Amino acid sequence: MNTEITFSDGGCTCRFVRYRMTSKPLFVHCCHCRWCQRETGTAFALNALIEADRVQLLQGEVEVVDTPSNSGKGQKISRCPRCHIAVWSNYAGGGDAVRFVRVGTLDDPDRCPPDIHIYTASKQPWVVLPVGTPAVPEYYRASEHWPKESLERRAALLARSRQQ
Ligand SMILES: [Zn+2]
Ligand SMILES: [Zn+2]
């Protein structure tokens, strides 16, 4: 991997935490579950899923906060220790290997529109989903929606984690 490549930098509001995504994400979720609504204080969360080693901390440090999750297995939310803005999460499913980067913390969030809308069963009724983007009432299978390249990256990640 060429670490000189930058997809987008990002960071918190007080600018203590600065990070870099070194490639495009695997997939982007727009999650309409009630948990994401509560955690963001708004209608949905926008998360870019990416291998942890493709997110470089350029400056500062993150405080990892154990937070309950819908699955009951919990999530670890990485926050700026000063302004407490959340920059990414790790869920039990993907473990520490996959980060869910909060798209709104990217300097260029427009580069990460949703690839799928999930948990639309609890979508706030005024949110109108765009035609042409997949939407599912709850969760989905990556093999049915992710592009081939992302599935290959996921397979490489799983192979690496088995070797460790
Ligand atoms: Zn901050
Ligand atoms: Zn959610």
Side-chain angles (χ1 to χ4, degrees):
M1 187 188 75
N2 182 353
T3 52
E4 300 304 310
I5 293 170
T6 302
F7 176 77
S8 179
D9 288 355
C12 66
T13 296
C14 79
R15 297 187 73 84
F16 176 68
V17 173
R18 294 291 298 162
Y19 69 84
R20 173 166 296 165
M21 275 172 57
T22 60
S23 80
K24 67 177 182 180
L26 294 158
F27 214 57
V28 179
H29 287 175
C30 185
C31 184
H32 299 264
C33 83
R34 295 295 189 200
W35 291 71
C36 286
Q37 291 178 18
R38 185 169 52 240
E39 285 159 25
T40 59
T42 175
F44 49 77
L46 201 50
N47 290 312
L49 282 61
I50 186 168
E51 298 94 326
D53 64 4
R54 296 187 186 206
V55 183
Q56 299 172 344
L57 198 58
L58 300 175
Q59 182 185 301
E61 59 192 355
V62 293
E63 183 181 350
V64 179
V65 181
D66 282 313
T67 308
S69 73
N70 197 12
S71 72
K73 294 175 186 162
Q75 64 170 316
K76 295 177 193 166
I77 302 182
S78 293
R79 295 179 176 276
C80 169
R82 296 186 182 173
C83 72
H84 294 184
I85 297 296
V87 286
W88 59 74
S89 306
N90 292 81
Y91 287 90
D96 291 332
V98 178
R99 285 185 182 159
F100 284 57
V101 173
R102 305 237 172 160
V103 169
T105 68
L106 291 171
D107 296 344
D108 193 2
D110 299 357
R111 295 194 68 186
C112 291
D115 292 311
I116 194 168
H117 292 268
I118 62 173
Y119 289 100
T120 59
S122 52
K123 179 179 77 63
Q124 293 183 18
W126 59 268
V127 176
V128 180
L129 299 182
V131 177
T133 304
V136 292
E138 291 189 355
Y139 211 69
Y140 70 97
R141 298 174 76 93
S143 58
E144 290 170 9
H145 287 282
W146 285 22
K148 187 167 169 280
E149 185 198 339
S150 295
L151 288 169
E152 286 168 1
R153 280 166 59 183
R154 186 179 72 152
L157 195 63
L158 290 170
R160 275 207 301 280
S161 68
R162 268 191 230 105
Q163 281 166 4
Q164 282 161 7

